[in-house]
């Protein structure tokens, strides 16, 4: 089984474009609109002669401080 590499980062920085280029497909939707990717996409690629499995992810947002429970039921903006 090839190693899995996740493409992670902030919203709208080109993760899906990179995924499409590396997998030589148009499997991931690409737009200037932030937040388009919601579900992860997986694909096969070859990097430096090695087979890998790539995962395109939704953008990561900065977490706000959480008051109350560990589950964040009482989240409040900073």
């Amino acid at each position: 089984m090839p190693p899995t590499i996740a493409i992670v980062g902030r919203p709208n920085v080109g993760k899906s474009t990179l995924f499409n280029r590396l997998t030589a497909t148009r499997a991931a939707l690409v737009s200037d609109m932030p937040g388009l990717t919601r579900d992860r996409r997986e694909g096969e690629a070859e990097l430096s002669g090695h087979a890998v499995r790539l995962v395109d992810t939704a953008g990561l947002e900065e977490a706000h401080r959480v008051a109350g429970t560990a589950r964040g039921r009482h989240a409040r903006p900073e």
Side-chain angles (χ1 to χ4, degrees), residues 5-77:
I5 299 173
I7 302 172
V8 296
R10 299 167 78 184
N12 218 37
V13 295
K15 295 179 299 296
S16 294
T17 300
L18 177 62
F19 175 86
N20 285 343
R21 294 290 294 261
L22 293 174
T23 59
T25 67
R26 294 181 69 175
L29 298 175
V30 176
S31 171
D32 289 335
M33 182 178 65
L36 182 66
T37 303
R38 303 224 175 194
D39 298 323
R40 70 176 186 226
R41 297 262 183 245
E42 297 184 16
E44 306 274 329
E46 188 173 307
L47 300 176
S48 299
H50 301 281
V52 296
R53 180 151 206 72
L54 293 177
V55 180
D56 180 30
T57 64
L60 298 175
E61 303 261 348
E62 193 170 318
H64 293 284
R65 289 184 170 223
V66 178
T69 69
R71 296 192 176 178
R73 281 185 270 171
H74 305 289
R76 65 176 177 201

